[in-house]
Amino acid sequence: MKSKVLTAVFSGALLISGTFLTGGSTVLAEGNGPNGPNYGGNETIKNERLHSYEEMVDFLEKADKRSEALELEVYGQSVKGRDLYLANFGIDENNPTILFLTQQHGNETLTTEGALKVIKNLTSNGKQVQEILNNVNVLIAPRLNVDGAAGDVNFSLEDYVAGTHTRYNANGVDLNRDHVERNQPETQALHENILQKYQPDYMIDLHHQGTQTTLGNTGELVSGSILYPTNENVSPEVLEQSKELGSVVYHAVDSKGYGLLSKYPGGNAPTISRNGLALEYGISTLLLEVRGMADHYYEDYVLGQKSNGYLIQQVVTAMEASLNALADDSIHSADTSFWETLPESNYSAE
């Protein structure tokens, strides 16, 4: 059942108005230190800062109009008929191609907010942006699970804390377990019209995890977790490049002072994109899990809005560090030895 304490909070917060965070810096709140922001538990949960589907589409269309570098594509439709969008920043066969994929799970929202911020930055005319776009093919697929994110599904969300977002698509399917059979229109479109068409070399799959994930047994709450493909049949070259990508992300986030990452204890099934795409297409993949979710039927998975700014900025940091490392080719000199000692995630919730 929904929490009686939290239900009252949502009475005025169920509509998503889509105010986007702007500016290039994040102001740290009092009490923050090297182990991450002072999260404060499940404080007031509001979704006003999240883009609704309509607002996301409006944002993307405006970005497309103001930028010659961006080609906005519709690559498929969801179960409920919503268009799926790809922000395509150029395809040069001489450049590496990276795909950023967000919201395979509809209740994992801040990754999309970070991706939209990166799209906005890539439509500027700065020298650093031009250096990236001259040397890297950038594909950003924000919000694969558009129906689940809208709560427009063929099952009840009454047991969810907010009743607004769900992990599953409209048919109740976990899209990140559909990368072999590809029975759902969202995963079919992703594979046929992005993966097979553009053949990316790298992919970062952006997700969220629960709020009480810790760095091993230290008791320190992490701001996120990362993992490379773990299926034993992934080629050594793809695996090594995945670890290099993880190194870039880890060290970029770690250097910020408000981020702390653990090693995600993920499985090896090929139905998961991190494994399946590495196996089928030879894509070097990295999973980035960010702390907290917008909605869930487990209350301790749901994070209030207080930490949203930090976590969105963590996504931006990870994405932009990856682009810079690919643009100057420094990714291939990334030190992967940290993986050997990076503590695995633990979960401290009772």
Side-chain angles (χ1 to χ4, degrees), residues 246-286:
S247 177
V248 169
V249 168
Y250 175 82
H251 289 101
V253 171
D254 187 63
S255 70
K256 293 300 181 181
Y258 55 81
L260 182 68
L261 300 179
S262 57
K263 184 179 181 181
Y264 190 79
N268 59 11
T271 52
I272 301 170
S273 64
R274 168 178 51 85
N275 295 316
L277 275 57
L279 275 170
E280 184 172 356
Y281 304 110
I283 300 172
S284 298
T285 64
L286 181 73

Side-chain angles (χ1 to χ4, degrees), residues 22 27 56 71 117 137 217 222 244 293 295 305 323 345:
T22 58
V27 178
M56 181 186 73
E71 181 177 348
K117 193 162 186 170
N137 301 322
N217 296 319
V222 297
E244 290 172 351
M293 301 180 189
D295 198 3
Q305 88 285 1
L323 294 177
S345 306

